[in-house]
């Protein structure tokens, strides 16, 4: 089975038609729905909360991959677990007690992820990797779709891949920001297995053509 997953970020979807957009992108071949939660505090933008997640849950069977860009983290992490999220990721620098937040997500029966900004080291992984199901390497500064991929992320992906392999655990390595057909293969070669794409998919009329082209690159 193909190890690669494409997580479509609905940040670049038409917010006035979110249910339809989610169905369309899953029909076009997206594996996961990536749900970017921004609070105008941890990041300078504001998106949607658990009620929107709950509403979208009824439109798809695809895993909902919640990416929390919020501070504080815990109450919202729990709310998203209860709103139908399958995975909940947060930024360790946004949580006062990272281990506790991870435990809280796991206690809800959900998969837990840690997200690392371009300038944030992976150090905390050494201490909590046994509680982590997903490592999310940001390849842009969080807050907006449509930014350019930061090349330094490639070295961080390689390092995260080594840490994951050394742990022997089944942990997904997701990369978020500036991923397109043109660079997805380079990101996979660095060790990523899960690819967030927002503007690259929703910025085109034919979602399936983009997702097919991404898979062709990954299979090449
Ligand atoms: C940025 C978000 C990303 C964003 C990616 O803060 O976390 O998920 O939607 O968008 P693109 O693919 O346009 O860079
Ligand atoms: Zn994201």
């Amino acid at each position: 089975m193909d190890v690669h997953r494409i997580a479509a970020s609905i940040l670049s979807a038409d917010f006035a038609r979110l249910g339809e957009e989610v169905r369309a992108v899953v029909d076009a071949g997206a594996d996961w729905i990536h749900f970017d939660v921004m609070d105008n505090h941890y990041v300078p933008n504001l998106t949607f909360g658990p009620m929107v997640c709950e509403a979208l849950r009824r439109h798809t069977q695809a895993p909902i991959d919640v990416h929390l860009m919020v501070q504080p983290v815990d109450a919202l992490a729990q709310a998203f677990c209860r709103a139908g999220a399958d995975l909940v990721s947060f930024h360790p620098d946004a949580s006062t007690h990272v281990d506790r937040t991870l435990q809280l997500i796991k206690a809800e029966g959900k998969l837990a992820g840690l997200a690392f900004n371009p300038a944030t080291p992976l150090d905390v992984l050494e201490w909590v990797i046994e509680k982590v199901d997903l490592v999310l390497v940001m390849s842009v500064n969080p807050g907006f779709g449509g930014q350019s991929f930061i090349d330094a992320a490639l070295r961080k992906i390689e390092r995260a891949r080594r840490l994951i392999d050394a742990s022997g655990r089944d942990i997904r390595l997701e990369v978020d920001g500036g991923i397109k057909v043109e660079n997805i293969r380079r990101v996979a070669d660095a060790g990523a297995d899960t690819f967030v794409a927002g503007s690259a998919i929703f910025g085109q009329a034919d979602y399936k053509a983009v997702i097919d082209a991404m898979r062709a690159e990954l299979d090449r």
Side-chain angles (χ1 to χ4, degrees):
M1 211 189 100
D2 192 355
V3 296
H4 299 119
R5 299 281 182 280
I6 294 177
S9 167
I10 56 171
L11 185 61
S12 293
D14 179 352
F15 280 16
R17 300 187 299 112
L18 267 187
E20 267 171 68
E21 290 274 71
V22 162
R23 286 196 304 271
V25 84
V26 171
D27 286 348
D31 299 298
W32 293 1
I33 294 300
H34 184 83
F35 193 99
D36 285 306
V37 184
M38 303 184 182
D39 68 347
N40 190 40
H41 171 70
Y42 182 69
V43 289
N45 201 355
L46 184 66
T47 57
F48 25 52
M51 291 168 76
V52 176
C53 182
E54 198 175 349
L56 289 180
R57 182 69 288 176
R58 295 190 279 274
H59 287 263
T60 184
Q61 304 280 323
I64 298 182
D65 171 33
V66 170
H67 175 193
L68 294 177
M69 288 160 274
V70 304
Q71 191 171 29
V73 180
D74 290 7
L76 277 174
Q78 190 168 51
F80 275 100
C81 289
R82 295 177 182 180
D86 295 277
L87 307 97
V88 176
S89 299
F90 63 97
H91 289 252
D93 43 299
S95 169
T96 317
H97 303 288
V98 173
D99 183 272
R100 177 180 288 151
T101 308
L102 288 166
Q103 285 189 50
L104 186 152
I105 297 167
K106 307 288 285 178
E108 294 288 331
K110 307 298 181 176
L111 298 175
L114 284 179
F116 297 90
N117 286 330
T120 305
L122 298 170
D123 300 8
V124 298
L125 278 179
E126 180 179 356
W127 308 106
V128 293
I129 200 155
E130 73 283 356
K131 294 180 179 127
V132 169
D133 302 298
L134 177 141
V135 172
L136 195 173
V137 173
M138 294 298 304
S139 39
V140 297
N141 288 292
F144 303 94
Q147 304 179 78
S148 300
F149 188 92
I150 294 171
D151 280 328
L154 292 169
R155 276 197 299 124
K156 192 183 282 180
I157 297 162
E158 289 168 5
R159 187 170 298 191
R161 170 49 61 202
R162 288 196 294 274
L163 292 171
I164 289 170
D165 289 350
S167 79
R169 297 192 66 248
D170 181 16
I171 298 173
R172 295 209 76 86
L173 178 46
E174 183 174 42
V175 181
D176 186 2
I179 294 191
K180 317 180 184 23
V181 173
E182 294 70 32
N183 63 11
I184 195 167
R185 181 55 197 253
R186 253 194 319 146
V187 177
D189 287 344
D193 53 31
T194 304
F195 309 87
V196 176
S199 54
I201 297 175
F202 289 103
Q204 300 293 321
D206 187 346
Y207 304 164
K208 185 170 186 309
V210 180
I211 293 171
D212 285 350
M214 286 179 167
R215 283 205 208 280
E217 283 294 309
L218 292 170
D219 292 342
R220 185 152 66 78

